[in-house]
Amino acid sequence: MISGPRLALLGTAVLAAAVVAAPLAQAPSPKSQALWFKGNLHTHTVNSDGDSTPDDVVTWYRERNYQFLVLTDHNYLTSVEGLNALHGADDKFLVVKGEEVTSRFGDKPLHVNGLEIERFVPPPEGGGSVLEVLQQMVDGIRQARGVPSINHPNFGWAISPDELGQVQRTKLFEVFNGHPTVNNLGGGGVPSLEETWDRILSSGKLLYGIAVDDAHYFKRPEAPAAPRPGKGWVYVRSDRLEARALVEALERGDFYSSTGVQMQAVDASTSALSLSVRTEPASKYRIQFIGRQGRVLSEVTTPAATYTFKGDEGYVRAKVMESNGKVAWIQPVPVGAAGPK
Ligand SMILES: [Zn+2]
Ligand SMILES: [Zn+2]
């Protein structure tokens, strides 16, 4: 990973075919000042149930060429001022305030991250349903000027697609969480988080999917199923490495999520979604463009492609699959009047 690669935007020429293999484009564009910043949005320290100090945790990410990190201890707002004095550097590295607001309804664990909150958000007391508790958490985070993200919906089989789709005033959820027991793939009749995502998008609600570590253990090599760092992250497009700019870009969907695939370019216009992968020499790639109800609209085996909207897709998102199982999730673009909002 090189830090802050310049974004190369693909052109948006109208194409006769819905999908064509596109060459890597290097043309300058008005957005060429924007950079991609790599960051992890969900991390624990000894201030909750992590095994390492904030200093050790931040060091782990900084040494591996992440550009930002959100510390999200359970019901605890870890201070970042001292950490940024030690580790922060203009345009190179930033620690962002956060908290995993942690509650439950009955036996169902309900966790919502507050990103860039201005103050501690207490977990709600009471609430008559999963949805009510989630909504109180989201609203508490908003009142603290934070950006909410609903965590690991299938952990403890806590949040159904219906419930997730009804939460108001939130745009983000974890489509991938690197903790080993959060059931990303569903099972036993419960949909995977990608199926959940498509159901919610198809119902008309615009939701963006993030990938996170939820790292707890930076030590303990003897624990094979431990929640470790380096599993999932986001690349956020922003003109600067600043906390408010980063979370606002997340809420605009101006980012992609990854477990190891890096993009050369991602460009969504009103007429098309264009992608190209920063390829690894030993890997091969498949790109799927996905629309309403999770239907695969098109699949290509080249590392770059453009999908031109027909108008009736509802939304178009993309999934890039690398030959060793790494994935990038490109955020959905609403298409037509019936698209998600
Ligand atoms: Zn959690
Ligand atoms: Zn967590």
Side-chain angles (χ1 to χ4, degrees), residues 42 44 72 74 100 152 214 216:
H42 189 160
H44 295 272
T72 54
H74 293 287
E100 185 168 16
H152 44 59
D214 201 356
H216 289 68

Side-chain angles (χ1 to χ4, degrees), residues 46 50-53 56-57 60 216-224 226-229:
V46 288
D51 73 349
S52 297
T53 63
D56 284 345
V57 168
W60 193 96
H216 289 68
Y217 294 175
F218 295 76
K219 300 169 184 163
R220 309 191 207 183
E222 75 286 0
R228 293 191 189 288

Side-chain angles (χ1 to χ4, degrees), residues 1-7 32-38 65-67 91-92 235-236 238 241 262 278:
M1 224 313 278
I2 64 164
S3 52
R6 291 260 157 198
L7 172 67
S32 62
Q33 289 309 304
L35 303 169
W36 292 109
F37 294 107
K38 178 181 179 178
N65 293 325
Y66 287 69
Q67 278 99 36
D91 302 325
K92 290 182 186 293
Y235 291 98
V236 180
S238 176
L241 185 61
Q262 189 176 5
R278 183 173 294 236

Side-chain angles (χ1 to χ4, degrees), residues 42-44 48-49 72-74 100 102 111 113 151-152 174 177 179 212-216:
H42 189 160
T43 327
H44 295 272
S48 59
D49 52 352
T72 54
D73 279 304
H74 293 287
E100 185 168 16
T102 304
H111 300 181
N113 270 359
N151 298 348
H152 44 59
E174 290 177 351
N177 177 304
H179 192 292
V212 304
D213 281 344
D214 201 356
H216 289 68

Side-chain angles (χ1 to χ4, degrees), residues 238-252:
S238 176
D239 58 358
R240 62 196 191 282
L241 185 61
E242 187 268 318
R244 188 55 53 182
L246 291 171
V247 296
E248 284 176 0
L250 285 167
E251 288 220 287
R252 284 197 306 274

Side-chain angles (χ1 to χ4, degrees), residues 124-201:
E125 290 171 23
S129 65
V130 165
L131 184 56
E132 272 185 37
V133 176
L134 286 172
Q135 194 63 62
Q136 287 179 39
M137 298 162 101
V138 164
D139 291 347
I141 289 164
R142 289 286 185 202
Q143 282 158 19
R145 289 204 70 223
V147 165
S149 168
I150 299 182
N151 298 348
H152 44 59
N154 280 350
F155 175 52
W157 308 106
I159 306 171
S160 70
D162 245 24
E163 289 161 336
L164 182 60
Q166 288 181 62
V167 183
Q168 305 289 309
R169 295 176 286 283
T170 185
K171 278 277 187 282
L172 303 174
F173 87 111
E174 290 177 351
V175 70
F176 174 90
N177 177 304
H179 192 292
T181 61
V182 294
N183 309 309
N184 293 319
L185 299 180
V190 177
S192 72
L193 294 177
E194 269 203 85
E195 291 174 84
T196 293
W197 196 11
D198 284 311
R199 281 193 199 186
I200 292 170
L201 291 167

